[in-house]
Amino acid sequence: METPVPSPQTSPPESRPGWGIFWMLLTGLCFVAVTATVKMVGDDVPAIQSGFLRYVLGLVFLIPMLPSVRRAPVDRGLAGILFARGAAHALAVSLWFFAMTRIPIADVTALNYLNPVYVILLAVLFLGERLGPNRIAAVAVAFIGTFVIIRPGFREIDLGHVTMLFTAIAMAGSYFLAKLASQRVSAEVVVFYLSLVVPALLAPAAWYVWVPVAWVDVGWLFLCAFFATMGHYMMTLAFRAAPLATTQPVTFLQLIWATALGVFVFGEPADIYVIAGGGMIIAAVSYITWREAVLARRRRRVATEAREAEAQAEGASPLSSRS
């Protein structure tokens, strides 16, 4: 369900691209496993109830985070950001679980790549980031890829496709607010409060639509929580090992694996248009990631040269200049 969001990245002090690619490969496998477990539950359990149970069952994975959370200063402003993020994420989870019962895994995976594109647009609207020609072109390619996947006018558009478009918007809002919160507290704190707020918000609606849940479905949802947690952890390892410009293109394999899973496990037909459109979206996101990494390195180089020039100017004393 998750897609790495591009942002200006600095290369780690000891960049290890091989390990970064390896961890991102495992990340993709984990997130494909998440979609598979949700698909196994299907519509036996209402989408909101499934999302609620996924987060409740995942609370056990929060125990190691407790020491960091206890030390974190959370004021009223930060609490508001964390709550708003939880609300956006709760909406996205409910919509995503619903979409999984309606359309093939490959379609869900491909449309999920729109998340980073929406994050960029939110940054332009609310953070004043500039939307230059290169960004505009990349965003345009991403949306063209979306039309290639959905193909309005050439096939019947399922409600699941429309739902995924709104899912991407809600998830982008969640990512955007997480970016704001992560500037003040650690990632562990952000994840911890997300995992508490989402089930709390989903609880009333889940209670309203509650149906008896078979133990086998509980098992699938627990596996969903496990693979989602492992996926986030391995994605963090990938980001630490190598910059996003290296790891982002690897996410394309997630679409290939999702397509293969749909064909061989769930009997879903392979759709070349979904792969092509998803490839366009991933190419656009990868280009944005690469370009922003290049610009970040250029800014660091200019800043370093400016500091060196300033240090040289301060080191030149009046006596040395007269001599």
Side-chain angles (χ1 to χ4, degrees):
M1 181 179 178
E2 307 294 345
T3 303
V5 178
S7 58
Q9 288 286 319
T10 59
S11 298
E14 297 180 2
S15 183
R16 297 171 294 168
W19 279 106
I21 292 173
F22 171 75
W23 288 121
M24 190 55 73
L25 286 172
L26 293 183
T27 298
L29 287 173
C30 283
F31 288 147
V32 169
V34 169
T35 60
T37 55
V38 174
K39 198 76 171 179
M40 291 300 295
V41 176
D43 56 3
D44 293 341
V45 182
I48 292 178
Q49 184 180 347
S50 292
F52 169 76
L53 289 173
R54 172 261 183 267
Y55 272 90
V56 169
L57 293 171
L59 291 177
V60 65
F61 301 114
L62 301 183
I63 296 175
M65 303 179 186
L66 285 174
S68 298
V69 173
R70 288 172 179 169
R71 294 192 299 266
V74 179
D75 56 26
R76 181 176 298 180
L78 179 58
I81 293 175
L82 293 172
F83 180 83
R85 197 236 169 159
H89 207 88
L91 176 61
V93 167
S94 300
L95 295 175
W96 184 76
F97 271 79
F98 174 77
M100 283 296 301
T101 67
R102 301 279 310 198
I103 58 178
I105 291 177
D107 292 49
V108 171
T109 303
L111 292 173
N112 203 51
Y113 286 114
L114 283 173
N115 297 347
V117 178
Y118 287 131
V119 171
I120 292 171
L121 296 178
L122 287 173
V124 171
L125 290 174
F126 295 103
L127 296 182
E129 293 190 9
R130 192 174 68 88
L131 189 63
N134 292 283
R135 274 186 165 188
I136 293 175
V139 170
V141 170
F143 282 115
I144 292 173
T146 304
F147 280 98
V148 171
I149 295 171
I150 299 178
R151 302 194 300 284
F154 293 92
R155 71 167 179 175
E156 183 179 355
I157 300 177
D158 191 276
L159 180 60
H161 292 106
V162 179
T163 302
M164 273 307 300
L165 296 179
F166 286 100
T167 300
I169 295 174
M171 190 60 69
S174 172
Y175 284 149
F176 178 75
L177 293 167
K179 180 179 180 180
L180 297 180
S182 63
Q183 296 172 354
R184 302 175 59 178
V185 289
S186 68
E188 290 179 334
V189 176
V190 177
V191 172
F192 183 90
Y193 281 101
L194 173 72
S195 301
L196 291 182
V197 173
V198 170
L201 292 177
L202 292 180
W207 176 82
Y208 181 77
V209 300
W210 194 271
V211 298
V213 183
W215 282 109
V216 64
D217 289 332
V218 172
W220 285 120
L221 290 171
F222 182 80
L223 284 176
C224 175
F226 170 77
F227 283 120
T229 302
M230 292 301 297
H232 282 290
Y233 178 70
M234 291 178 182
M235 187 165 60
T236 301
L237 293 178
F239 291 164
R240 290 177 179 175
L244 266 175
T246 300
T247 59
Q248 185 71 48
V250 183
T251 60
F252 179 73
L253 292 175
Q254 186 175 335
L255 178 57
I256 304 298
W257 291 329
T259 302
L261 182 70
V263 171
F264 295 110
V265 177
F266 297 101
E268 299 171 348
D271 192 335
I272 188 63
Y273 290 100
V274 172
I275 297 177
M280 293 175 67
I281 297 173
I282 295 169
V285 173
S286 299
Y287 172 75
I288 293 173
T289 303
W290 169 80
R291 178 166 176 79
E292 293 193 356
V294 171
L295 293 176
R297 287 196 297 269
R298 186 180 301 169
R299 287 192 293 267
R300 291 197 304 273
R301 185 173 64 251
V302 171
T304 300
E305 292 174 353
R307 287 194 299 269
E308 291 176 351
E310 184 179 353
Q312 291 176 357
E314 291 177 353
S317 63
L319 289 177
S320 62
S321 62
R322 285 197 297 269
S323 62

